Amino acid sequence: MYFSRVKLDNFRNYGSQTIDFHEKLNLFLGHNAQGKTNLLESLFVMSLGKSFRTNKDSDMISFGSPYARVVADVIENNEETEIEIQYKPEGKIIKVNGIKMARAVDLLENVYVVIFSPDDLRIIKDGPESRRRFLDRELCQIKPVYYSDLGNYKKVLKQRNTLLRENNKDKTLFSVFDESLADYGVRIVNERKRFVERLQEISGKIHNDISTGSEFLTIDYETDVTDKDEYRYILEKNFEKDIYKGHTGFGPHKDDLKIEINGVDIRVFGSQGQQRTAALSMKLAEIGLIKQETGSDAILLLDDVLSELDANRQRFLIESMKDVQVFITATDIDPNVKGLLPEGYEFSIEKGIAKLLT
């Protein structure tokens, strides 16, 4: 699976441009704030219909423009799929091969994308929200039903929290929301548990290889959610506490990943090198998980991440990406590192214009 081209209209700082890609490597070089990450973002939205940088679709529209449009061609097994997303102030329109999708979830399973940025290197030492986002992003791609369950859960949670802040004490009304939260919440937790088991298996092996056998990585899903009945009971038990705090204090929106190396919790006690190696192992494991779950190769987006890694981790990352299409952004790149990269295209990015270098 690979992107063969993208067409941009009024997307971020891009005007109107069509860019053809190499099926293996595409390297984008340029100074900061020229549009390198914007270009990767335009490819990422093809997978989930939304950005990895913002929750506001309107942010994708160039300043002063009435709309933005991205059209990408994806090739898999010699078959081409055209994905189009139009962003307008009133909403977005998604089309696959010219057919309008009724829901964003209908976009899924057409292309699989893994994004790796400096923010991902901090996933270990950042708060639980970052680790939940990591889980949810990947699960939404490979499990459309999870995408729907998560969206419904967040909607019900928002409504319940609104009632809590309004000091509404109608327990009959809350019982309706609690039933829905428990239903969606248990399903979300069960899918996360299964995902983390596979993540542990793959990332543990990768981490062992990077550390040449000196470190053993373990990942566990931390949750207090057990079953639906217990979930409802805890929501009822914590009702007054939730009213006082103005938000729901129990559920998968509070869960976390416990990440250890040789039995030590590296969220707190790990060195920066250990945290970065663990993050790299987890991101590379995503590619293997997608292949296992879907049978398709993911497309890897590396947003200014090579400069954040030491030589050993750079070499391991480059070696790991030889079987997939890769997009790399950087301000510049070390000639020694560049020599390790597979063949492909090199572009310069300046003021929202991508120019193929010869």
Side-chain angles (χ1 to χ4, degrees):
M1 175 180 289
Y2 64 93
F3 286 115
S4 61
R5 72 177 57 84
V6 70
K7 303 171 186 175
L8 304 174
D9 289 302
N10 307 319
F11 185 88
R12 294 286 192 176
N13 69 328
Y14 286 82
S16 180
Q17 187 172 9
T18 298
I19 308 169
D20 293 308
F21 299 128
H22 192 279
E23 64 181 86
K24 283 299 181 183
L25 172 70
N26 296 275
L27 177 62
F28 301 100
L29 301 177
H31 297 298
N32 292 328
Q34 299 302 304
K36 301 189 300 297
T37 300
N38 294 342
L39 184 53
L40 295 194
E41 182 182 32
S42 74
L43 300 177
F44 183 85
V45 298
M46 298 291 102
S47 63
L48 287 172
K50 52 188 176 183
S51 171
F52 62 90
R53 305 162 74 190
T54 177
N55 292 321
K56 296 181 179 179
D57 288 340
S58 58
D59 289 346
M60 261 72 84
I61 304 174
S62 295
F63 181 76
S65 299
Y67 74 96
R69 186 173 74 124
V70 183
V71 182
D73 295 329
V74 182
I75 308 294
E76 185 175 25
N77 298 326
N78 296 319
E79 293 186 5
E80 182 176 279
T81 301
E82 182 187 83
I83 304 172
E84 176 181 350
I85 301 182
Q86 298 179 32
Y87 295 97
K88 297 182 178 180
E90 61 270 24
K92 64 189 171 193
I93 298 172
I94 300 173
K95 296 180 181 180
V96 177
N97 291 329
I99 300 173
K100 185 177 178 180
M101 300 292 101
R103 305 168 303 162
V105 68
D106 297 327
L107 171 65
L108 304 181
E109 300 181 301
N110 284 290
V111 60
Y112 300 100
V113 175
V114 172
I115 179 74
F116 192 14
S117 71
D119 286 342
D120 292 304
L121 287 170
R122 295 189 289 270
I123 192 174
I124 310 298
K125 67 178 180 181
D126 282 354
E129 183 179 0
S130 295
R131 291 181 284 278
R132 290 193 299 269
R133 189 183 306 117
F134 164 78
L135 290 177
D136 290 340
R137 183 186 292 168
E138 195 53 53
L139 273 166
C140 282
Q141 280 201 84
I142 62 179
K143 294 278 189 180
V145 67
Y146 183 89
Y147 183 100
S148 297
D149 286 342
L150 183 64
N152 287 328
Y153 178 86
K154 288 181 176 180
K155 181 179 178 180
V156 176
L157 181 65
K158 183 178 180 180
Q159 292 170 332
R160 189 180 194 272
N161 286 342
T162 297
L163 292 176
L164 290 171
R165 288 192 294 270
E166 292 173 351
N167 202 34
N168 188 315
K169 296 188 178 182
D170 185 346
K171 290 191 176 182
T172 301
L173 177 60
F174 272 95
S175 67
V176 177
F177 287 103
D178 293 353
E179 176 71 21
S180 293
L181 274 186
D183 185 29
Y184 293 126
V186 167
R187 281 192 266 175
I188 288 169
V189 166
N190 287 337
E191 284 295 347
R192 285 178 177 176
K193 285 180 178 178
R194 284 191 284 267
F195 177 84
V196 172
E197 287 176 2
R198 299 196 302 274
L199 176 70
Q200 153 66 39
E201 180 182 355
I202 298 175
S203 62
K205 183 180 185 307
I206 293 171
H207 189 97
N208 191 260
D209 290 342
I210 297 176
S211 65
T212 61
S214 64
E215 295 182 344
F216 183 63
L217 173 70
T218 57
I219 305 173
D220 293 304
Y221 182 55
E222 294 185 318
T223 183
D224 293 323
V225 176
T226 54
D227 57 47
K228 188 175 177 179
D229 291 338
E230 179 72 7
Y231 199 135
R232 285 198 306 266
Y233 170 75
I234 293 176
L235 289 174
E236 292 171 6
K237 178 184 175 183
N238 293 345
F239 179 67
E240 292 297 334
K241 185 189 298 183
D242 288 349
I243 284 280
Y244 176 75
K245 292 185 176 181
H247 63 85
T248 305
F250 178 80
H253 61 287
K254 295 293 185 179
D255 292 347
D256 199 359
L257 289 176
K258 184 178 183 181
I259 305 170
E260 295 183 335
I261 290 179
N262 298 340
V264 176
D265 188 340
I266 63 168
R267 294 173 301 184
V268 180
F269 302 107
S271 67
Q272 184 181 75
Q274 287 177 320
Q275 291 175 341
R276 290 192 168 202
T277 302
L280 175 60
S281 301
M282 291 166 64
K283 295 303 293 187
L284 290 177
E286 285 187 65
I287 298 173
L289 281 168
I290 289 173
K291 184 70 172 181
Q292 282 186 3
E293 190 72 26
T294 70
S296 297
D297 289 315
I299 296 166
L300 182 59
L301 311 180
L302 301 179
D303 188 23
D304 200 25
V305 77
L306 284 177
S307 61
E308 300 285 331
L309 300 172
D310 62 22
N312 179 51
R313 295 180 182 90
Q314 284 179 344
R315 284 193 297 270
F316 194 92
L317 175 57
I318 292 169
E319 181 66 28
S320 301
M321 66 191 194
K322 287 184 176 179
D323 294 329
V324 300
Q325 186 184 34
V326 184
F327 294 82
I328 300 175
T329 68
T331 52
D332 54 38
I333 190 164
D334 186 287
N336 293 324
V337 175
K338 189 175 180 180
L340 299 174
L341 296 173
E343 65 171 333
Y345 292 161
E346 182 177 333
F347 299 84
S348 66
I349 306 288
E350 185 175 0
K351 296 180 180 179
I353 297 175
K355 181 179 180 182
L356 179 63
L357 303 177
T358 56

